[in-house]
Coordinates of all heavy atoms in Angstrom, one line a residue:
M1 N -63.0 -5.6 7.4 CA -64.3 -5.5 6.7 C -65.4 -4.9 7.5 O -65.5 -5.2 8.7 CB -64.6 -7.0 6.2 CG -65.5 -7.0 5.0 SD -65.9 -8.6 4.5 CE -67.3 -9.0 5.4
T2 N -66.2 -4.1 6.9 CA -67.4 -3.5 7.6 C -68.7 -4.2 7.2 O -68.8 -4.6 6.1 CB -67.4 -2.0 7.5 OG1 -67.6 -1.8 6.1 CG2 -66.3 -1.4 8.1
E3 N -69.5 -4.4 8.2 CA -70.8 -4.9 7.8 C -71.9 -4.5 8.8 O -71.5 -3.9 9.9 CB -70.7 -6.5 7.9 CG -70.3 -6.9 9.3 CD -70.2 -8.5 9.3 OE1 -71.0 -9.2 8.7 OE2 -69.4 -9.0 10.1
F4 N -73.2 -4.6 8.4 CA -74.3 -4.1 9.3 C -74.5 -5.2 10.3 O -74.6 -6.4 9.9 CB -75.5 -3.8 8.4 CG -75.4 -2.5 7.8 CD1 -75.1 -2.3 6.5 CD2 -75.8 -1.3 8.6 CE1 -75.1 -1.1 5.8 CE2 -75.8 -0.1 8.0 CZ -75.4 0.0 6.6
V5 N -74.5 -4.8 11.5 CA -74.8 -5.8 12.7 C -76.0 -5.2 13.5 O -76.1 -4.1 13.7 CB -73.5 -5.8 13.6 CG1 -73.8 -6.7 14.9 CG2 -72.4 -6.3 12.8
K6 N -76.8 -6.2 13.9 CA -78.0 -5.8 14.7 C -77.5 -5.5 16.1 O -76.8 -6.3 16.7 CB -79.0 -6.9 14.7 CG -80.2 -6.5 15.6 CD -81.3 -7.5 15.8 CE -82.2 -7.0 16.8 NZ -83.2 -8.0 17.3
F7 N -78.0 -4.3 16.6 CA -77.6 -4.0 18.0 C -78.8 -3.8 18.9 O -78.7 -4.1 20.0 CB -76.9 -2.5 18.0 CG -75.5 -2.6 17.6 CD1 -75.0 -2.6 16.4 CD2 -74.6 -2.7 18.7 CE1 -73.7 -2.7 16.1 CE2 -73.2 -2.8 18.5 CZ -72.8 -2.8 17.1
A8 N -80.0 -3.4 18.3 CA -81.1 -3.3 19.2 C -82.4 -3.3 18.4 O -82.3 -3.4 17.2 CB -81.0 -1.9 19.8
S9 N -83.5 -3.3 19.0 CA -84.8 -3.2 18.4 C -85.3 -1.8 18.6 O -85.0 -1.2 19.5 CB -85.7 -4.3 18.8 OG -86.4 -3.9 20.0
T10 N -86.1 -1.4 17.7 CA -86.7 0.0 17.8 C -87.4 0.2 19.1 O -87.5 1.3 19.6 CB -87.6 0.2 16.6 OG1 -88.5 -0.7 16.5 CG2 -86.7 0.4 15.3
D11 N -88.0 -0.9 19.7 CA -88.8 -0.7 21.0 C -87.8 -0.3 22.2 O -88.2 0.3 23.1 CB -89.4 -2.1 21.4 CG -90.4 -2.5 20.4 OD1 -91.0 -1.7 19.6 OD2 -90.6 -3.7 20.3
E12 N -86.5 -0.7 22.0 CA -85.6 -0.4 23.1 C -85.2 1.0 23.2 O -84.6 1.4 24.3 CB -84.2 -1.3 22.9 CG -84.5 -2.8 23.1 CD -83.2 -3.5 22.8 OE1 -82.2 -3.3 23.3 OE2 -83.2 -4.3 21.8
I13 N -85.2 1.7 22.2 CA -84.7 3.1 22.2 C -85.8 4.1 21.8 O -86.0 4.3 20.6 CB -83.4 3.3 21.3 CG1 -82.4 2.2 21.6 CG2 -82.8 4.7 21.5 CD1 -81.2 2.1 20.7
K14 N -86.5 4.6 22.8 CA -87.6 5.5 22.5 C -87.1 6.8 22.0 O -85.9 7.2 22.2 CB -88.4 5.7 23.8 CG -88.9 4.4 24.4 CD -90.1 3.9 23.8 CE -90.6 2.6 24.5 NZ -91.0 1.6 23.5
E15 N -88.1 7.6 21.5 CA -87.8 8.9 21.0 C -87.1 9.8 22.0 O -87.6 9.8 23.1 CB -89.0 9.5 20.5 CG -88.8 10.6 19.4 CD -90.0 11.0 18.7 OE1 -90.7 10.1 18.2 OE2 -90.2 12.3 18.5
G16 N -86.0 10.5 21.7 CA -85.4 11.4 22.6 C -84.5 10.6 23.6 O -83.8 11.2 24.5
K17 N -84.2 9.3 23.4 CA -83.4 8.5 24.2 C -82.2 8.0 23.6 O -82.2 8.0 22.2 CB -84.2 7.3 24.9 CG -85.4 7.7 25.6 CD -85.1 8.2 26.9 CE -86.3 8.6 27.7 NZ -86.0 9.7 28.7
M18 N -81.2 7.4 24.2 CA -80.1 6.8 23.6 C -79.6 5.7 24.4 O -79.9 5.7 25.7 CB -79.0 7.9 23.4 CG -78.5 8.6 24.6 SD -77.4 9.9 24.2 CE -77.4 10.9 25.7
K19 N -78.7 4.8 23.9 CA -78.3 3.7 24.7 C -76.9 3.3 24.2 O -76.6 3.5 23.0 CB -79.2 2.5 24.3 CG -79.1 1.3 25.2 CD -80.3 0.4 25.0 CE -80.1 -0.9 25.8 NZ -81.1 -1.9 25.7
D20 N -76.0 2.9 25.0 CA -74.7 2.5 24.5 C -74.4 1.1 24.5 O -75.0 0.3 25.2 CB -73.6 3.4 25.2 CG -73.3 2.9 26.5 OD1 -74.1 2.3 27.2 OD2 -72.2 3.3 27.0
F21 N -73.5 0.7 23.6 CA -73.2 -0.7 23.3 C -71.6 -0.7 23.2 O -71.0 0.2 22.8 CB -73.8 -1.1 21.9 CG -75.2 -1.0 21.9 CD1 -75.9 0.2 21.6 CD2 -76.0 -2.0 22.3 CE1 -77.2 0.3 21.5 CE2 -77.4 -1.9 22.3 CZ -78.1 -0.8 21.9
S22 N -71.0 -1.9 23.5 CA -69.7 -2.1 23.3 C -69.5 -3.2 22.2 O -70.3 -4.1 22.1 CB -69.0 -2.8 24.5 OG -68.9 -1.9 25.6
V23 N -68.6 -2.9 21.3 CA -68.3 -3.9 20.3 C -66.9 -3.9 19.9 O -66.3 -2.9 19.6 CB -69.3 -3.6 19.0 CG1 -69.0 -2.2 18.5 CG2 -69.0 -4.7 17.9
N24 N -66.3 -5.1 19.9 CA -64.9 -5.3 19.5 C -64.0 -4.2 20.2 O -63.2 -3.6 19.6 CB -64.7 -5.2 18.0 CG -65.5 -6.2 17.3 OD1 -65.8 -7.2 17.8 ND2 -65.8 -5.9 16.1
G25 N -64.2 -3.9 21.5 CA -63.3 -3.0 22.2 C -63.8 -1.5 22.0 O -63.2 -0.6 22.6
S26 N -64.6 -1.2 21.1 CA -65.1 0.2 20.9 C -66.4 0.4 21.4 O -67.3 -0.6 21.6 CB -64.8 0.7 19.5 OG -65.1 -0.2 18.6
K27 N -66.8 1.6 21.8 CA -68.1 1.9 22.4 C -68.8 2.8 21.4 O -68.3 3.8 20.9 CB -68.0 2.5 23.7 CG -67.5 1.6 24.8 CD -67.5 2.2 26.2 CE -67.6 1.1 27.2 NZ -68.2 1.5 28.4
L28 N -70.1 2.5 21.2 CA -70.9 3.4 20.4 C -72.2 3.5 21.0 O -72.6 2.7 21.9 CB -71.0 2.9 18.9 CG -71.7 1.5 18.7 CD1 -73.2 1.6 18.6 CD2 -71.2 1.0 17.4
L29 N -72.9 4.6 20.6 CA -74.3 4.9 21.2 C -75.3 4.9 20.0 O -74.8 5.3 18.8 CB -74.4 6.0 22.1 CG -74.0 7.4 21.5 CD1 -75.3 8.0 20.7 CD2 -73.6 8.4 22.7
I30 N -76.5 4.6 20.3 CA -77.5 4.8 19.2 C -78.5 5.7 19.8 O -79.0 5.5 21.0 CB -78.2 3.4 18.9 CG1 -77.2 2.5 18.3 CG2 -79.3 3.7 17.9 CD1 -77.7 1.1 18.0
A31 N -78.8 6.8 19.1 CA -79.8 7.7 19.6 C -81.1 7.8 18.7 O -80.9 7.7 17.5 CB -79.2 9.1 19.7
N32 N -82.2 8.0 19.3 CA -83.4 8.2 18.5 C -83.8 9.7 18.6 O -84.2 10.2 19.6 CB -84.6 7.3 19.2 CG -85.9 7.5 18.5 OD1 -86.1 8.4 17.8 ND2 -86.7 6.4 18.7
V33 N -83.7 10.3 17.4 CA -84.0 11.8 17.2 C -85.2 11.8 16.3 O -85.1 11.6 15.2 CB -82.9 12.6 16.7 CG1 -83.2 14.0 16.6 CG2 -81.6 12.4 17.5
N34 N -86.4 12.2 16.9 CA -87.6 12.3 16.1 C -87.9 11.1 15.3 O -88.3 11.1 14.1 CB -87.6 13.5 15.2 CG -87.4 14.8 15.9 OD1 -88.0 14.9 17.0 ND2 -86.7 15.8 15.5
G35 N -87.6 9.9 15.9 CA -87.9 8.6 15.2 C -86.9 8.1 14.2 O -87.0 7.1 13.6
N36 N -85.8 9.0 14.0 CA -84.7 8.5 13.2 C -83.5 8.0 14.1 O -83.3 8.7 15.2 CB -84.2 9.6 12.3 CG -85.2 10.0 11.3 OD1 -85.8 9.1 10.6 ND2 -85.5 11.3 11.2
Y37 N -82.8 7.1 13.7 CA -81.7 6.5 14.5 C -80.4 6.9 14.1 O -80.1 6.9 12.9 CB -81.9 5.0 14.7 CG -83.1 4.6 15.3 CD1 -84.2 4.4 14.5 CD2 -83.2 4.5 16.7 CE1 -85.4 4.0 15.2 CE2 -84.3 4.1 17.3 CZ -85.5 3.8 16.5 OH -86.7 3.5 17.1
Y38 N -79.4 7.3 15.0 CA -78.1 7.8 14.6 C -77.1 7.1 15.6 O -77.5 6.8 16.7 CB -78.0 9.3 14.8 CG -78.9 10.0 13.9 CD1 -80.1 10.5 14.4 CD2 -78.6 10.3 12.6 CE1 -81.1 11.1 13.5 CE2 -79.5 11.0 11.7 CZ -80.7 11.4 12.2 OH -81.6 12.0 11.4
S39 N -75.9 6.9 15.1 CA -75.0 6.2 15.9 C -73.6 7.0 15.8 O -73.1 7.3 14.7 CB -74.7 4.8 15.5 OG -73.9 4.2 16.3
I40 N -73.0 7.3 17.0 CA -71.7 7.8 17.0 C -70.9 7.1 18.1 O -71.5 6.4 19.0 CB -71.6 9.3 17.3 CG1 -72.2 9.6 18.6 CG2 -72.3 10.1 16.2 CD1 -72.0 11.1 19.1
C41 N -69.5 7.3 18.2 CA -68.7 6.7 19.2 C -69.2 7.3 20.5 O -69.6 8.5 20.6 CB -67.3 7.1 19.0 SG -66.3 6.6 20.4
S42 N -69.3 6.5 21.6 CA -69.9 7.1 22.8 C -68.9 7.5 23.9 O -69.2 7.8 25.0 CB -70.8 6.0 23.5 OG -70.1 4.9 23.8
T43 N -67.6 7.4 23.5 CA -66.6 7.9 24.4 C -66.1 9.3 23.9 O -65.7 9.6 22.8 CB -65.3 6.9 24.2 OG1 -65.7 5.7 24.5 CG2 -64.1 7.4 25.2
C44 N -66.4 10.3 24.9 CA -66.1 11.7 24.6 C -64.7 11.9 24.1 O -63.7 11.3 24.7 CB -66.4 12.5 25.8 SG -66.2 14.3 25.5
T45 N -64.5 12.6 23.0 CA -63.2 12.9 22.5 C -62.3 13.8 23.4 O -61.1 14.0 23.2 CB -63.2 13.5 21.1 OG1 -64.0 14.7 21.1 CG2 -63.8 12.5 20.1
H46 N -63.0 14.5 24.4 CA -62.3 15.4 25.3 C -61.4 14.6 26.3 O -60.2 14.4 26.1 CB -63.3 16.3 26.0 CG -62.6 17.3 27.0 ND1 -63.0 17.4 28.3 CD2 -61.5 18.0 26.8 CE1 -62.2 18.2 28.9 NE2 -61.3 18.7 28.1
K47 N -62.1 13.9 27.2 CA -61.3 13.1 28.2 C -62.0 11.7 28.5 O -61.8 11.2 29.6 CB -61.1 13.8 29.5 CG -60.1 15.0 29.3 CD -59.6 15.5 30.7 CE -58.9 16.8 30.6 NZ -57.5 16.8 30.4
G48 N -62.7 11.3 27.5 CA -63.3 9.9 27.6 C -64.6 9.8 28.4 O -64.9 8.6 28.7
G49 N -65.3 10.9 28.6 CA -66.6 10.8 29.4 C -67.6 9.9 28.5 O -67.5 9.7 27.4
P50 N -68.5 9.3 29.3 CA -69.5 8.4 28.7 C -70.6 9.2 28.1 O -71.7 9.6 28.9 CB -69.9 7.5 29.9 CG -69.8 8.4 31.2 CD -68.6 9.4 30.9
L51 N -70.7 9.4 26.8 CA -71.7 10.3 26.3 C -73.1 9.8 26.4 O -74.1 10.5 26.6 CB -71.4 10.5 24.8 CG -70.2 11.3 24.5 CD1 -70.1 11.5 22.9 CD2 -70.2 12.7 25.1
A52 N -73.3 8.4 26.5 CA -74.6 7.9 26.6 C -75.3 8.3 27.9 O -76.4 8.1 28.1 CB -74.6 6.5 26.4
D53 N -74.4 8.6 28.9 CA -74.9 9.0 30.3 C -75.2 10.6 30.3 O -75.6 11.1 31.4 CB -73.9 8.7 31.4 CG -73.7 7.2 31.6 OD1 -74.6 6.5 31.1 OD2 -72.7 6.8 32.2
G54 N -75.0 11.2 29.3 CA -75.2 12.7 29.1 C -76.6 12.9 28.8 O -77.5 12.1 28.9
E55 N -76.8 14.2 28.4 CA -78.1 14.6 28.0 C -78.4 14.7 26.5 O -77.5 15.2 25.7 CB -78.4 16.0 28.6 CG -79.8 16.4 28.5 CD -79.9 17.9 29.1 OE1 -79.0 18.8 28.9 OE2 -80.9 18.2 29.7
L56 N -79.5 14.2 26.1 CA -79.8 14.3 24.6 C -81.0 15.3 24.5 O -82.1 15.1 25.0 CB -80.2 13.0 24.0 CG -80.7 13.0 22.6 CD1 -79.5 13.4 21.6 CD2 -81.2 11.6 22.2
K57 N -80.8 16.4 23.8 CA -81.8 17.4 23.5 C -81.9 17.6 22.0 O -80.9 18.2 21.4 CB -81.5 18.7 24.2 CG -82.2 18.9 25.5 CD -82.2 20.4 25.9 CE -82.8 20.5 27.3 NZ -82.3 21.6 28.0
G58 N -83.0 17.2 21.5 CA -83.0 17.3 20.0 C -81.9 16.3 19.4 O -81.8 15.2 19.8
N59 N -81.0 17.0 18.6 CA -79.9 16.1 18.0 C -78.6 16.5 18.7 O -77.5 16.0 18.3 CB -79.8 16.4 16.6 CG -79.6 17.9 16.2 OD1 -80.1 18.7 16.9 ND2 -78.8 18.2 15.2
I60 N -78.7 17.2 19.9 CA -77.4 17.5 20.6 C -77.2 16.7 21.9 O -78.1 16.7 22.7 CB -77.3 19.0 20.9 CG1 -77.6 19.8 19.7 CG2 -76.0 19.4 21.6 CD1 -76.7 19.8 18.6
I61 N -76.0 16.1 22.0 CA -75.6 15.4 23.2 C -74.7 16.2 24.0 O -73.8 16.8 23.4 CB -75.0 14.0 22.8 CG1 -75.9 13.1 22.2 CG2 -74.3 13.4 24.1 CD1 -75.2 11.7 21.8
T62 N -74.9 16.3 25.3 CA -74.0 17.0 26.2 C -73.3 16.0 27.1 O -73.9 15.2 27.7 CB -74.7 18.0 27.0 OG1 -75.5 18.9 26.2 CG2 -73.8 18.8 27.8
C63 N -72.0 16.0 27.0 CA -71.2 15.1 27.8 C -71.4 15.4 29.3 O -71.4 16.6 29.7 CB -69.7 15.3 27.5 SG -68.6 14.2 28.5
P64 N -71.6 14.3 30.1 CA -71.8 14.5 31.5 C -70.6 15.0 32.4 O -70.8 15.5 33.4 CB -72.3 13.2 32.0 CG -71.6 12.2 31.0 CD -71.6 12.9 29.7
W65 N -69.4 14.9 31.7 CA -68.2 15.3 32.5 C -68.0 16.7 32.5 O -67.8 17.4 33.5 CB -67.0 14.5 32.1 CG -67.1 13.0 32.6 CD1 -68.1 12.4 33.3 CD2 -66.1 12.0 32.5 NE1 -67.8 11.1 33.6 CE2 -66.6 10.9 33.1 CE3 -64.8 12.0 31.9 CZ2 -65.8 9.7 33.2 CZ3 -64.0 10.8 32.0 CH2 -64.6 9.7 32.6
H66 N -67.7 17.3 31.3 CA -67.3 18.7 31.3 C -68.2 19.5 30.3 O -67.9 20.7 29.8 CB -65.9 18.9 30.9 CG -64.9 18.0 31.6 ND1 -64.4 16.8 31.0 CD2 -64.4 18.0 32.9 CE1 -63.6 16.2 31.8 NE2 -63.6 16.9 33.0
G67 N -69.2 18.9 29.8 CA -70.3 19.7 29.0 C -70.0 19.8 27.5 O -70.6 20.7 26.9
A68 N -69.0 19.1 27.0 CA -68.9 19.3 25.5 C -70.2 18.8 24.8 O -71.0 18.0 25.3 CB -67.7 18.4 25.0
K69 N -70.4 19.5 23.6 CA -71.7 19.2 23.0 C -71.3 18.6 21.5 O -70.4 19.2 20.9 CB -72.5 20.4 22.8 CG -73.1 21.0 24.0 CD -74.0 22.2 23.9 CE -74.3 22.9 25.2 NZ -75.1 22.0 26.1
F70 N -72.1 17.6 21.1 CA -71.9 17.0 19.8 C -73.2 16.8 19.1 O -74.2 16.5 19.8 CB -71.3 15.5 20.0 CG -70.0 15.5 20.7 CD1 -69.9 15.4 22.0 CD2 -68.8 15.6 19.9 CE1 -68.6 15.3 22.7 CE2 -67.5 15.6 20.5 CZ -67.4 15.4 21.9
D71 N -73.2 17.0 17.8 CA -74.4 16.7 17.0 C -74.4 15.2 16.7 O -73.5 14.7 16.1 CB -74.2 17.5 15.7 CG -75.4 17.3 14.8 OD1 -76.3 16.4 15.0 OD2 -75.7 18.2 14.0
V72 N -75.4 14.5 17.2 CA -75.5 13.0 17.1 C -75.7 12.7 15.7 O -75.5 11.5 15.3 CB -76.4 12.5 18.1 CG1 -77.9 12.7 17.6 CG2 -76.3 11.0 18.3
T73 N -76.2 13.6 14.8 CA -76.5 13.1 13.5 C -75.2 13.2 12.6 O -75.2 12.6 11.5 CB -77.6 14.1 12.9 OG1 -77.0 15.4 12.7 CG2 -78.9 14.1 13.7
T74 N -74.2 13.9 13.1 CA -73.0 14.0 12.3 C -71.8 13.6 13.1 O -70.6 13.3 12.5 CB -72.8 15.5 11.8 OG1 -72.6 16.3 13.0 CG2 -74.0 15.9 11.0
G75 N -71.8 13.6 14.4 CA -70.6 13.3 15.2 C -69.8 14.6 15.5 O -68.8 14.6 16.2
K76 N -70.1 15.7 14.9 CA -69.4 17.0 14.9 C -69.5 17.7 16.3 O -70.6 17.6 17.0 CB -69.8 17.9 13.9 CG -69.7 17.5 12.4 CD -68.8 18.4 11.6 CE -68.6 18.0 10.2 NZ -67.6 16.9 10.1
V77 N -68.3 18.2 16.8 CA -68.3 19.0 17.9 C -69.1 20.3 17.7 O -68.9 21.0 16.7 CB -66.9 19.4 18.3 CG1 -67.0 20.3 19.6 CG2 -66.0 18.2 18.6
I78 N -70.0 20.6 18.7 CA -70.8 21.8 18.5 C -70.3 22.9 19.6 O -70.4 24.1 19.3 CB -72.3 21.5 18.7 CG1 -72.8 20.4 17.9 CG2 -73.1 22.9 18.8 CD1 -72.8 20.9 16.4
G79 N -69.8 22.4 20.7 CA -69.3 23.4 21.6 C -68.7 22.7 22.8 O -68.6 21.5 22.9
G80 N -68.1 23.5 23.7 CA -67.5 22.9 25.0 C -66.0 22.6 24.8 O -65.4 23.1 23.9
S81 N -65.5 21.8 25.7 CA -64.1 21.5 25.7 C -63.5 20.6 24.6 O -62.3 20.6 24.4 CB -63.8 20.9 27.1 OG -64.7 21.2 28.0
A82 N -64.3 19.8 24.0 CA -63.9 18.8 23.0 C -63.4 19.6 21.7 O -64.1 20.5 21.3 CB -64.9 17.8 22.7
K83 N -62.4 19.1 21.1 CA -61.9 19.6 19.8 C -62.1 18.7 18.7 O -62.2 19.1 17.5 CB -60.4 20.0 19.9 CG -60.0 20.9 21.0 CD -60.3 22.4 20.6 CE -60.0 23.3 21.7 NZ -61.1 23.8 22.4
E84 N -62.1 17.4 19.0 CA -62.3 16.4 17.9 C -63.7 15.9 17.8 O -64.3 15.6 18.8 CB -61.4 15.2 18.3 CG -60.1 15.2 17.5 CD -59.3 13.9 18.0 OE1 -59.7 12.8 17.6 OE2 -58.4 14.0 18.8
D85 N -64.1 15.7 16.6 CA -65.4 15.1 16.3 C -65.4 13.7 16.7 O -64.4 13.0 16.8 CB -65.7 15.1 14.8 CG -65.8 16.6 14.3 OD1 -66.0 17.5 15.1 OD2 -65.7 16.9 13.1
E86 N -66.7 13.2 16.9 CA -66.9 11.7 17.2 C -67.0 11.0 15.9 O -67.5 11.5 14.9 CB -68.1 11.5 18.0 CG -68.2 12.0 19.4 CD -67.2 11.2 20.4 OE1 -66.7 10.1 20.0 OE2 -66.9 11.8 21.5
K87 N -66.5 9.7 15.9 CA -66.8 8.9 14.7 C -68.2 8.6 14.6 O -68.9 8.4 15.6 CB -66.0 7.6 15.0 CG -66.1 6.6 13.8 CD -65.2 5.4 14.1 CE -65.5 4.2 13.2 NZ -65.3 4.4 11.8
K88 N -68.7 8.7 13.4 CA -70.2 8.4 13.1 C -70.3 7.1 12.4 O -69.4 6.8 11.6 CB -70.7 9.6 12.2 CG -72.1 9.5 11.8 CD -72.5 10.5 10.8 CE -73.9 10.6 10.6 NZ -74.5 9.5 9.9
Y89 N -71.3 6.4 12.7 CA -71.5 5.1 12.2 C -72.8 5.2 11.4 O -73.8 5.8 11.8 CB -71.7 4.0 13.2 CG -70.4 3.8 14.1 CD1 -70.3 4.5 15.2 CD2 -69.5 2.9 13.6 CE1 -69.1 4.3 16.0 CE2 -68.4 2.6 14.3 CZ -68.1 3.3 15.5 OH -67.0 3.2 16.3
E90 N -72.8 4.4 10.3 CA -74.0 4.3 9.4 C -75.1 3.4 10.1 O -74.7 2.3 10.6 CB -73.6 3.7 8.1 CG -74.5 4.1 6.9 CD -74.0 3.5 5.7 OE1 -72.7 3.6 5.4 OE2 -74.8 3.1 4.8
V91 N -76.3 3.9 10.0 CA -77.4 3.0 10.7 C -78.5 2.7 9.7 O -78.8 3.6 8.8 CB -78.0 3.9 11.8 CG1 -79.2 3.1 12.5 CG2 -77.1 4.2 13.0
K92 N -79.1 1.6 9.8 CA -80.3 1.3 9.0 C -81.2 0.5 9.8 O -80.8 -0.2 10.7 CB -79.9 0.7 7.6 CG -79.7 -0.7 7.6 CD -79.4 -1.2 6.1 CE -78.9 -2.6 6.1 NZ -78.3 -3.0 4.7
V93 N -82.5 0.6 9.5 CA -83.5 -0.1 10.3 C -84.3 -0.9 9.3 O -84.6 -0.7 8.2 CB -84.6 1.0 10.8 CG1 -85.7 0.2 11.5 CG2 -83.9 1.9 11.8
Q94 N -84.3 -2.2 9.7 CA -85.0 -3.2 8.9 C -86.1 -3.8 9.8 O -85.8 -4.5 10.8 CB -84.0 -4.3 8.6 CG -83.3 -4.1 7.3 CD -82.3 -5.2 6.9 OE1 -82.0 -6.0 7.7 NE2 -81.8 -5.1 5.7
G95 N -87.3 -3.6 9.4 CA -88.3 -4.0 10.3 C -88.2 -3.3 11.6 O -88.2 -2.0 11.7
K96 N -88.1 -4.1 12.8 CA -87.8 -3.5 14.1 C -86.4 -3.6 14.5 O -86.0 -3.2 15.6 CB -88.7 -4.2 15.1 CG -90.2 -3.9 15.0 CD -91.0 -4.4 16.1 CE -92.1 -3.6 16.4 NZ -92.5 -3.3 17.8
D97 N -85.5 -4.0 13.6 CA -84.1 -4.2 13.9 C -83.3 -2.9 13.6 O -83.5 -2.4 12.5 CB -83.4 -5.4 13.2 CG -84.0 -6.7 13.6 OD1 -84.7 -6.7 14.7 OD2 -83.9 -7.7 12.9
I98 N -82.5 -2.5 14.5 CA -81.6 -1.4 14.3 C -80.2 -1.9 14.0 O -79.6 -2.6 14.8 CB -81.5 -0.4 15.5 CG1 -82.8 0.1 15.9 CG2 -80.5 0.7 15.2 CD1 -82.9 0.9 17.2
L99 N -79.7 -1.6 12.8 CA -78.4 -2.2 12.4 C -77.4 -1.1 12.3 O -77.7 0.0 11.8 CB -78.6 -2.9 11.0 CG -79.7 -3.9 10.9 CD1 -80.0 -4.2 9.4 CD2 -79.2 -5.2 11.6
V100 N -76.2 -1.4 12.7 CA -75.1 -0.4 12.5 C -74.0 -1.0 11.8 O -73.6 -2.1 12.0 CB -74.6 0.1 13.9 CG1 -73.5 1.1 13.9 CG2 -75.8 0.7 14.8
K101 N -73.4 -0.2 10.9 CA -72.3 -0.7 10.1 C -71.0 -0.5 10.9 O -70.6 0.6 11.2 CB -72.2 0.2 8.8 CG -71.3 -0.4 7.8 CD -71.5 0.3 6.5 CE -70.8 -0.4 5.3 NZ -70.9 0.3 4.1
I102 N -70.4 -1.6 11.2 CA -69.1 -1.5 11.9 C -68.0 -2.3 11.3 O -68.2 -3.1 10.4 CB -69.3 -2.1 13.4 CG1 -69.9 -3.5 13.3 CG2 -70.1 -1.2 14.2 CD1 -69.8 -4.3 14.6
Ligands
FES201 S1 -64.9 14.2 28.9 FE1 -66.5 15.0 27.8 S2 -66.4 17.1 28.0 FE2 -64.7 16.4 29.1

């Protein structure tokens, strides 16, 4: 069953920043792009690099290991060595709470 779970408050993830979280053995990150929050799996589909330690420019995350690029708003691969898209999670904001559907 999937449900929305609170992961963070809006104060914790400033514009242009991201943060990663572990839940039930999987890892996801939440990114703030122009005041909107997005969540994708934070383990790179190439060789498992930690995407939350990479660079976020606009809506594009660059993996710190070999430079694969993903669109954080869709999870889709944009370039580099990765072939598989990242899983995308639904996000909603209630007051100051950031909730992710897992
Ligand atoms: S592990 Fe991310 S690009 Fe290789």
Side-chain angles (χ1 to χ4, degrees):
M1 205 178 90
T2 56
E3 57 181 330
F4 280 99
V5 174
K6 181 187 170 186
F7 276 85
S9 84
T10 50
D11 300 334
E12 288 173 61
I13 309 173
K14 306 280 183 219
E15 201 164 314
K17 301 286 179 205
M18 53 188 169
K19 194 167 176 183
D20 73 343
F21 300 89
S22 288
V23 57
N24 301 335
S26 35
K27 291 186 155 206
L28 59 84
L29 62 81
I30 299 172
N32 179 337
V33 180
N34 298 324
N36 296 310
Y37 297 89
Y38 299 94
S39 180
I40 62 172
C41 174
S42 63
T43 303
C44 183
T45 57
H46 179 229
K47 289 193 190 274
L51 291 182
D53 293 344
E55 189 184 36
L56 177 65
K57 260 199 185 155
N59 58 327
I60 307 299
I61 291 180
T62 303
C63 178
W65 284 8
H66 318 99
K69 292 183 192 299
F70 298 90
D71 183 338
V72 73
T73 68
T74 62
K76 298 233 178 286
V77 179
I78 302 299
S81 337
K83 299 280 177 261
E84 258 181 76
D85 297 338
E86 291 292 345
K87 179 175 167 59
K88 180 183 190 294
Y89 296 92
E90 205 177 320
V91 176
K92 77 179 173 191
V93 176
Q94 268 178 352
K96 288 191 150 217
D97 294 342
I98 303 172
L99 309 161
V100 178
K101 194 172 190 180
I102 53 163

